[in-house]
Structure formats: C-alpha cells, structure tokens
Amino acid sequence: MLLDTFGRQAVDLRVSLTDRCNLRCTYCMPEQGLQWLAKPTLLTDEEIVRLVGLAVRELGIREVRFTGGEPLLRPGLVSIVAACAELEPRPELSLTTNAVGLARTAEALKAAGLDRVNVSLDTLDAETFHTLTRRQRHQDVLDGLAAAESAGLTPVKINTVLMRGVNDHEAADLLAWTLDHGYQLRFIEQMPLDAQHGWTRDGMVTAAEILERLGERFTLTPEPSAARGAAPAERWLVDGGPSTVGVIASVTRPFCRACDRTRLTADGQVRDCLFATGETDLRTALREGADDAELAALWRAAMWGKKAGAGIDDPEFHQPERPMSAIGG
C-alpha cells in the first residue's frame, strides 16, 4: 500500500504521458509554449506499463488516469491503455484530454480498454475559446465530446475553469448545455500552476462565486457529504436531481485530508501532491536495473512523507517550479 503518516492511502494514480500540448491555455502556459522535455528523459511505453503494473499489483492502486500535457499526443497511447487494461487486478482507466484529437481516437481507445474521459472545455463560444486557448479548435473539441459519448467512454465529464472577465458569465449556460447533452460538469478553481506564475488570488473566480451564479438559474441542493468520499469535487443536485454539478475548490476549500492520489510525471518522477516542490526519481532507478521491490520501496517512501495539506492558504506557500503541463493535471 501507499500510506502516509496521516493515515491516507493512495489508490488513485495520475500518469502524465507527455508535457506537450496543442493548445496554449492562458492559465497554463505562455503563448510561445515551453521548453519541452527531451525525449530521452521521457519514460518509454514499456517503462510506463511496468510502473503502472507495479502500482496496481504491489501498491494498491485501483484507478489510473492518463494525463498530460495532452495525452492524445502520445504516439503509443492506445497500446499503453491496452496493456494496462490487461493488468490483474484490472484498474479503472480514464483519460483527461482537451479532446482536440478525440474524434479520431475515441473508438480505438474504447476498444483498447479505456473506461471514460474527462474533457477540458471552458466556453461554448468559439471566439472566447480562441481567446483562452490561442487556437481555433473549438469545433474539434465539440466533435471529440460527441465521439466519446458515441464510443461509450462514459460518463463524459467536463472540467471548466472560469476566468474573470473572460468566460465567468457563462457558468449557467455551460451547466444548461451539459445537462442537455448528458455530460457531467465540474468547475475547477484556477490554481497556481501556470508556467508564467501569473496566478493571483484576487483574480481567481472562487467556488462561492460560481455557486452564486449557478443559483441565479438553478436550484442547487448539496449532496450528502458521505457521497463525496475522496472525490475532489463537492457536488450539488440540480433542480432536485438526478443530474449534478461539481465544484473543485482546490484553493478556497481544499480537500487534502481525504486525498487518495499519487502522481507519476512523464519523466518518471513521483509526486505526492499536485503542489509539491519535491519529487522522487523512479526513472533513474528503473534504468539502473532496480527490481520491483526496490522501485516499490522508493514509491512508498515518497508517499510516506506527504504533507498534511498543499498549504495554499499559508503565507509562505511557494508555487511549484514545474508547470501543470509537466506535472500532469
């Protein structure tokens, strides 16, 4: 198992497959992009499958989420999913994507064993999408969502970040649209993980503001707290249910006490927290011939030292040097 000194057990593994992305979202990276990781530093497909297998067989991982950057840019994605779907015990397999290339790959991913997808979509307006992502790919995302639904990669979940003065007026429209299409919407507070370190607390649209705007059109009833479990999203029944909307208040209402995640970066580093400033190197040990027992010991030690919380409310909080694209969201 992957335990820490506060009694939490990590059962959810987030695996970044690449730091590259085909969008340039303003809250993630600068317009010119970033200096990408050199290919030799990236884990190979075989190394990823080996580490995921180790985590599932020896460390108690039950859910695996593939992330990026943009994971659809990983050439071996389908084969990685297929290999992980053959693991025993079989983990739940999901993917976080911007969906730009999902219309082409949804069927193959489902056939390989992927269970569902989370899609990042911040606006229903094509021009606002261009403002936020600096790319004209809005229709590609909508097509990708439809393809995921058609392929059975369900429930299709949509992650939305509201930016003040840009798309924050769309909160209720986005919820109405997702309800019409049968998607599950979750709003995420903007987090201090942008490469340009431009995040400010005053500029962030808070969970309280999001709920206030949704409440202008919908009746929201909190789900019982027990229904949340270790999920990051607090959920509300919409107009009496059964449909729900979630809000992930990573900054204003952090959920660290129930966190059950461990993270593996594209270059083989274990992170015990999205906001961690330190990492544990598995790649070097793996390539120097470490066996599974040695790798498992390194992973356990990395998680044992996990802090009680991310510390965003601490005046001495320091934003991680590595941006979200390198960490994996």
Side-chain angles (χ1 to χ4, degrees), residues 198-323:
W199 178 91
T200 64
R201 186 177 297 271
D202 292 341
M204 177 190 67
V205 180
T206 67
E209 291 177 273
I210 294 167
L211 293 170
E212 180 180 359
R213 295 182 187 215
L214 295 177
E216 294 171 358
R217 192 184 306 182
F218 302 95
T219 299
L220 303 181
T221 306
E223 276 195 334
S225 58
R228 182 180 182 184
E234 296 178 79
R235 297 197 306 180
W236 282 260
L237 296 172
V238 180
D239 293 340
S243 297
T244 63
V245 63
V247 179
I248 299 177
S250 302
V251 177
T252 61
R253 295 204 288 266
F255 41 88
C256 302
R257 284 183 296 179
C259 182
D260 65 351
R261 298 179 183 179
T262 184
R263 299 175 181 275
L264 183 65
T265 67
D267 55 350
Q269 312 300 305
V270 169
R271 296 181 65 88
D272 60 20
C273 174
L274 192 60
F275 298 100
T277 55
E279 299 174 334
T280 297
D281 183 7
L282 291 188
R283 184 195 66 219
T284 297
L286 186 155
R287 292 182 179 176
E288 290 180 349
D291 61 23
D292 283 358
E294 292 169 313
L295 293 171
L298 283 172
W299 208 327
R300 289 191 186 97
M303 296 305 297
W304 184 250
K306 184 173 182 173
K307 295 180 179 179
I312 296 179
D313 289 327
D314 190 326
E316 297 184 359
F317 171 78
H318 293 290
Q319 180 173 339
E321 289 300 320
R322 302 189 82 181

Side-chain angles (χ1 to χ4, degrees), residues 124-207:
L124 299 175
D125 181 76
E127 286 308 309
T128 304
F129 183 89
H130 181 235
T131 298
L132 283 166
T133 68
R134 305 183 179 104
R135 297 291 187 271
Q136 298 278 11
R137 306 300 296 271
H138 190 249
Q139 189 59 50
D140 291 331
V141 177
L142 300 184
D143 292 344
L145 282 163
E149 182 76 22
S150 177
L153 294 170
T154 54
V156 175
K157 297 184 178 181
I158 292 181
N159 297 334
T160 296
V161 176
L162 295 181
M163 303 292 288
R164 195 175 303 282
V166 180
N167 65 334
D168 52 332
H169 62 286
E170 290 191 67
D173 290 340
L174 280 158
L175 178 53
W177 182 80
T178 55
L179 292 175
D180 286 344
H181 286 78
Y183 305 143
Q184 296 184 7
L185 178 62
R186 302 188 304 176
F187 291 97
I188 305 176
E189 287 182 336
Q190 183 194 3
M191 294 179 283
L193 290 169
D194 57 311
Q196 58 271 39
H197 287 204
W199 178 91
T200 64
R201 186 177 297 271
D202 292 341
M204 177 190 67
V205 180
T206 67

Side-chain angles (χ1 to χ4, degrees), residues 27-38:
Y27 52 79
C28 186
M29 68 173 68
E31 184 171 5
Q32 67 274 19
L34 300 169
Q35 182 66 46
W36 306 125
L37 293 169

Side-chain angles (χ1 to χ4, degrees), residues 13-187:
L13 170 61
R14 304 298 170 96
V15 182
S16 174
L17 299 181
T18 178
D19 60 329
R20 296 173 184 264
C21 190
N22 43 11
L23 299 181
R24 296 291 181 270
C25 296
T26 56
Y27 52 79
C28 186
M29 68 173 68
E31 184 171 5
Q32 67 274 19
L34 300 169
Q35 182 66 46
W36 306 125
L37 293 169
K39 187 173 181 179
T41 69
L42 298 176
L43 293 176
T44 66
D45 295 359
E46 293 76 14
E47 288 171 337
I48 291 170
V49 172
R50 179 181 172 190
L51 291 175
V52 172
L54 169 67
V56 169
R57 291 189 306 270
E58 305 295 335
L59 300 176
I61 292 298
R62 299 195 293 268
E63 301 175 32
V64 178
R65 173 87 62 85
F66 298 108
T67 71
E70 173 44 52
L72 294 181
L73 297 180
R74 177 87 184 202
L77 173 60
V78 171
S79 63
I80 291 171
V81 170
C84 291
E86 294 178 356
L87 294 172
E88 292 291 344
R90 192 221 194 261
E92 177 183 319
L93 300 174
S94 60
L95 179 81
T96 294
T97 173
N98 62 30
V100 166
L102 192 55
R104 298 189 304 272
T105 54
E107 291 287 351
L109 287 168
K110 180 63 177 180
L114 191 69
D115 294 306
R116 62 175 185 84
V117 293
N118 283 37
V119 173
S120 300
L121 177 65
D122 301 322
T123 178
L124 299 175
D125 181 76
E127 286 308 309
T128 304
F129 183 89
H130 181 235
T131 298
L132 283 166
T133 68
R134 305 183 179 104
R135 297 291 187 271
Q136 298 278 11
R137 306 300 296 271
H138 190 249
Q139 189 59 50
D140 291 331
V141 177
L142 300 184
D143 292 344
L145 282 163
E149 182 76 22
S150 177
L153 294 170
T154 54
V156 175
K157 297 184 178 181
I158 292 181
N159 297 334
T160 296
V161 176
L162 295 181
M163 303 292 288
R164 195 175 303 282
V166 180
N167 65 334
D168 52 332
H169 62 286
E170 290 191 67
D173 290 340
L174 280 158
L175 178 53
W177 182 80
T178 55
L179 292 175
D180 286 344
H181 286 78
Y183 305 143
Q184 296 184 7
L185 178 62
R186 302 188 304 176
F187 291 97

